Amino acid sequence: MTELYELTISEAGELLRDRTISSVELTQAYLDRIRALEDKVKAFTLVTDELALKQAEDADRRFAKGATVSPLTGIPLAIKDVICTRGITTTCGSRMLENFQPPYDATVMERLNAAGIVMLGKTNMDEFAMGSSTEHSAFFPTRNPWDLERVPGGSSGGSAAAVAAGMAMGAYGSDTGGSIRQPGAFCNVVGLKPTYGRVSRYGLVVFASSLDQIGPFARNARDAALLLQAVAGYDPFDSTSAPEPVPDYTAALKGDIKGLRIGVPEEYWVEGTQPGVVKAVREGIKVLRELGAEVSDVSLPHTRYGVPVYYIIAPAEASANLARYDGVKYGYSYRDTDDMWEALEKTRQYGFGQEVKRRIMLGTYALSSGYYDAYYKRAEKVRTLIKQDFDRAFERFDVLVSPTSPRVAFRLGEVSDPYQMYLEDIFTIPANLAGICGVSIPGGFSEGLPVGLQLLGNVFAEDVILHVANAFQRVTDYHTRWPQLLVNR
Ligand code: GLN
């Protein structure tokens, strides 16, 4: 028999609604799984087991009373520790916020609570979402369930690992330059970055305001659609959230993809991409063609400027956003002095890790007078060129397909050069710069490790990329495979 933790959200939802299983049973199965595996994987910064069981009881009462329920009622989920949860520690992977208990819920959390979810806990991440491996967490690294010596990707590594290991039925993360899609690829789960403005950022601890988006991790496209549906839509608390109507994402999964126009960006076949990744992605493209899609090449000529432009804009915004951590407003505060400047300096010296400090310095430099025009302003102009590449491509294509990451999960400690780590996001960063949506789906294996297939869609075309993802998953079984975590360990 299938174990409870192997169910998908839509399967579990049906069993909950017809009362074959209870949310308490389901939640307990996940808490047991967490107890058995968390020592090895270390996906969570906090497991909220008491709260989870209480929420599960509430959900069961809703089912018993025949009250209105949502597709997520009673479903056990994990939340990246960058999303504010009222009264529940939200660390953002940083010593700065180690003891921070937000006085309010993020809009996403409010919507999820109203939907009646069960929160299993908060997941580990690179500090302030800066990184691609979850090794920059101030607390401990998370490990990849497919190989515990390897990283789960980042910065939302905890969320991806939790879903991959069956320690959560789905999860939420945030993606500024790839932090949902790349860990999704490394861990063999679906990871979706919505269009900028699709999901409220209110209560998302900010990294780079013009790039950040919250999005879901799931075992398949249908579950990702359900998770997105629950949080998408306008929020008056976020002035950048879009008043655009939200389509019915699961309804969009129907039908085939015959005649759909799929573009393959030429510039995404870069030197240095592992041959095993290239092979899996080419095979994935073949599958899409066999499903009736019209596949042809497309050029996105400014692709190579993506990483350099991102590493001006993201640190510039971060340096401004992180100025709030001064030891006065909230978070860690150095108190052993009467001197204000010393207090400020020591607060930031201790509170921030190395990578965060590096970004603050980079960003402050790029924004300083005399350099602003040469770096920040120019980067913004090139960002527009990158956006125009996509605008032109989406005149001819419905979806673009590429690898998610140039390689499979690397070993812990293997990438010690920051620049090397930055290149990890070469295929994911352009979507954030352009504000379009993208999803990474399980696309095969190379030497036993998962390979992600990235599908990029135009703004507010989440329904289209989910539709393609779902069609792909109807004829492939990569997404149904499990890591052999409990065997021989
Ligand atoms: N790896 C990228 C960075 O370090 C992207 C991170 C993210 O998407 N949050 O900035």
Side-chain angles (χ1 to χ4, degrees), residues 358-435:
R358 182 179 294 123
R359 306 268 179 126
I360 292 174
M361 288 199 293
L362 262 172
T364 307
Y365 183 77
L367 291 177
S368 55
S369 84
Y371 293 107
Y372 179 93
D373 282 351
Y375 293 111
Y376 182 73
K377 206 166 157 193
R378 176 161 305 189
E380 287 292 0
K381 286 181 178 169
V382 180
R383 179 181 189 170
T384 301
L385 296 176
I386 291 170
K387 167 85 172 91
Q388 288 169 348
D389 281 356
F390 283 113
D391 289 346
R392 269 191 294 272
F394 286 121
E395 280 169 15
R396 288 174 46 219
F397 296 97
D398 302 299
V399 169
L400 308 178
V401 60
S402 78
T404 305
S405 161
R407 57 163 137 193
V408 294
F410 46 90
R411 288 177 198 286
L412 275 101
E414 186 181 330
V415 181
S416 51
D417 172 20
Y419 185 62
Q420 223 41 53
M421 191 73 91
Y422 297 169
L423 289 177
E424 193 49 44
D425 295 313
I426 180 164
F427 303 142
T428 48
I429 277 174
N432 300 77
L433 290 170

Side-chain angles (χ1 to χ4, degrees), residues 460-482:
F460 304 113
E462 284 82 359
D463 49 349
V464 181
I465 55 176
L466 283 166
H467 175 47
V468 177
N470 185 60
F472 185 84
Q473 292 186 333
R474 264 194 236 130
V475 295
T476 56
D477 71 350
Y478 310 126
H479 63 290
T480 65
R481 299 195 201 163
W482 284 84

Side-chain angles (χ1 to χ4, degrees), residues 55 147 168 202 274 276 354 370 374 394:
Q55 289 175 326
D147 177 349
Y202 181 73
Q274 288 175 345
Q354 224 189 358
F394 286 121

Side-chain angles (χ1 to χ4, degrees), residues 249-262:
Y249 293 118
T250 43
L253 304 179
K254 292 199 188 80
D256 58 37
I257 58 164
K258 274 200 190 70
L260 202 100
R261 302 160 306 165
I262 297 185

Side-chain angles (χ1 to χ4, degrees), residues 80 129-132 154-155 174-179 207 310-311 359 425:
K80 186 181 182 181
M130 296 172 187
S132 304
S155 64
S174 64
D175 190 311
T176 304
S179 280
F207 164 10
Y310 175 87
Y311 278 97
R359 306 268 179 126
D425 295 313

